[in-house]
């Protein structure tokens, strides 16, 4: 299956257009999770009801994402939450349409209202700060379809548990080992500013996310996961 679907090649094509993003999501779900089927997305009527309630039109890419996989919690909401169409809301400042929230309320993702007329707009993030006056919508990812791909990959790190793990006490040498033993995936730098940085890597049947020294791993087999645990020294959450 790994030979049938090349994650790196798929991501290279995602840079071209949003249709490639949806192909990537379908291929990744088939190879690493469960295939997408009819009924995994919301209906046109569901989205139209959300638009009527909110008084805005959803960007084309947001509607396409919801119709493709909006009901698949294993691809959208294992950790953070993709809001259902009837949960979409405009933030209290009236600046953005919010469609995703961090699982403990640490931040929210949305599209600025001024960008809703774009087919595939930039996505912004707002952290939940004690000082509300300091909160700002900050650039997160340049295209919503690209964020949809990142969301699916990120949520795959949290399911199923026996194929995923988290290195919470990495050895100082961990980053170097990851860079030398795995292939860096062609994600653009994100977030655009602040919040540290995130990098993705691909190993032998394993997907890794390096985030400010912490490493999240999703494997296709238990043997591949054990190999990563042996390769990277430190405290594994489930190992």
């Amino acid at each position: 299956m790994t030979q049938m679907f090349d994650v790196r090649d798929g991501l290279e094509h995602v840079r071209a257009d949003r249709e490639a993003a949806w192909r990537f999501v379908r291929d990744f779900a088939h190879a690493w999770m469960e295939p997408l089927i009819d009924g995994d997305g919301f209906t046109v009527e569901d989205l139209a009801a959300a638009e009527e309630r909110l008084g805005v039109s959803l960007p084309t890419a947001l509607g396409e994402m919801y119709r493709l996989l909006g009901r698949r919690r294993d691809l959208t909401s294992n950790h953070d939450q993709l809001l259902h169409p009837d949960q979409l809301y405009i933030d209290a400042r009236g600046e953005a349409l919010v469609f995703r929230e961090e699982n403990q309320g640490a931040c929210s993702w949305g599209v600025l209202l001024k960008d809703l007329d774009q087919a595939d707009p930039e996505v912004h993030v707002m952290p939940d700060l004690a000082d509300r006056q300091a909160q700002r919508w900050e650039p997160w990812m340049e295209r919503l379809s690209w964020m949809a791909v990142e969301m699916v990959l990120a949520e795959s790190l949290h399911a199923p548990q026996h194929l995923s793990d988290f290195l919470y006490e990495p050895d100082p040498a961990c980053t170097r080992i990851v860079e030398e033993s795995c292939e860096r995936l062609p994600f653009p730098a994100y977030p655009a500013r602040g919040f540290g940085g995130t990098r993705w890597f691909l190993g032998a049947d394993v997907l890794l996310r390096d985030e400010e020294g912490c490493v999240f791993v999703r494997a296709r087999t238990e043997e591949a996961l054990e190999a990563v645990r042996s390769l990277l020294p430190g405290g594994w959450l489930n190992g």
Side-chain angles (χ1 to χ4, degrees), residues 43-211:
T43 66
V44 171
E45 291 74 19
D46 293 326
L47 301 178
E51 291 180 324
E52 182 176 359
R53 174 177 59 85
L54 295 166
V56 300
S57 296
L58 304 183
T60 301
L62 187 61
E64 291 172 344
M65 180 182 72
Y66 272 108
R67 292 196 301 274
L68 177 65
L69 74 157
R71 295 184 182 274
R72 280 286 298 271
R73 295 189 60 82
D74 61 322
L75 299 175
T76 66
S77 303
N78 287 317
H79 187 259
D80 301 326
Q81 181 184 11
L82 177 68
L83 301 180
H84 285 207
D86 61 4
Q87 297 173 317
L88 295 172
Y89 66 93
I90 295 173
D91 74 303
R93 299 185 182 197
E95 295 176 343
L97 173 66
V98 180
F99 63 88
R100 191 176 183 220
E101 295 181 337
E102 199 271 340
N103 72 322
Q104 295 182 329
C107 66
S108 300
W109 290 269
V111 176
L112 298 183
L113 297 188
K114 68 180 183 63
D115 295 335
L116 290 182
D117 61 341
Q118 299 179 24
D120 198 1
E122 184 176 13
V123 174
H124 284 66
V125 63
M126 179 181 282
D128 183 24
L129 304 177
D131 182 2
R132 300 297 186 188
Q133 296 301 314
Q135 292 184 163
R136 297 288 186 277
W137 285 104
E138 298 286 351
W140 175 259
M141 200 162 287
E142 62 191 27
R143 297 206 319 266
L144 194 151
S145 60
W146 188 260
M147 184 199 171
V149 168
E150 194 276 345
M151 174 185 69
V152 168
L153 294 181
E155 295 304 319
S156 78
L157 299 173
H158 299 276
Q161 187 175 31
H162 72 281
L163 291 177
S164 61
D165 210 343
F166 169 56
L167 186 59
Y168 62 94
E169 294 179 355
D171 184 278
C174 180
T175 297
R176 175 182 56 79
I177 295 172
V178 170
E179 292 173 343
E180 292 176 352
S181 61
C182 299
E183 180 181 16
R184 175 89 182 264
L185 290 175
F187 265 94
Y190 77 98
R193 343 187 255 275
F195 303 96
T198 300
R199 301 184 302 165
W200 288 85
F201 293 87
L202 184 69
D205 273 343
V206 291
L207 185 68
L208 301 93
R209 185 176 74 186
D210 178 51
E211 188 173 301

